[in-house]
Amino acid sequence: MNRPDPAGFSLEDACRIFVDTAEDGVALIRDGRFVFTNAALARILGVPAAALVGSKVEAAFPSTRRTEIRMNLERLVAGEETRIQSESALTRHDGVEAPVQIGRAHV
């Protein structure tokens, strides 16, 4: 449903505004690649959000964590897990690791 509410926003518009202005990094991933990232995730990684779209998700993680990340994503897609939460790190564009708390869910 994409009905306008009394304030003039559709549900889709309201969700987009919520995600785009969130303090937490948010991404949608398909086939192991970013299809959407919000400004907060782009800020964490030190690149424009548009630059992330199409790039491999695992490239945003330290090389020592990539196998684990790939396996977690595969478990989500296979339906073996519905939610995974973990502490990890992302590798910024400048090579510095940024500690993060990651929640993943299959939608």
Side-chain angles (χ1 to χ4, degrees):
M1 278 194 277
N2 204 14
R3 291 187 309 232
D5 73 7
F9 291 110
S10 67
L11 179 59
E12 181 179 335
D13 289 339
C15 289
R16 185 174 305 280
I17 291 167
F18 174 77
V19 170
D20 284 344
T21 60
E23 295 289 324
D24 295 329
V26 176
L28 295 177
I29 300 162
R30 184 176 297 131
D31 298 327
R33 295 184 180 272
F34 290 111
V35 294
F36 168 83
T37 63
N38 70 350
L41 182 59
R43 194 169 42 255
I44 292 167
L45 291 171
V47 296
L52 292 169
V53 174
S55 66
K56 288 186 174 186
V57 171
E58 63 187 57
F61 290 88
S63 59
T64 57
R65 305 294 302 263
R66 292 180 183 168
T67 299
E68 172 193 350
I69 296 303
R70 191 172 32 255
M71 289 173 50
N72 284 344
L73 289 172
E74 289 171 0
R75 288 191 352 245
L76 283 171
V77 171
E80 297 170 20
E81 300 279 348
T82 57
R83 266 188 97 68
I84 300 173
Q85 297 243 200
S86 63
E87 291 185 10
S88 190
L90 294 175
T91 304
R92 293 178 39 85
H93 182 66
D94 60 10
V96 174
E97 289 186 16
V100 293
Q101 182 83 28
I102 298 182
R104 303 177 260 322
H106 185 255
V107 294

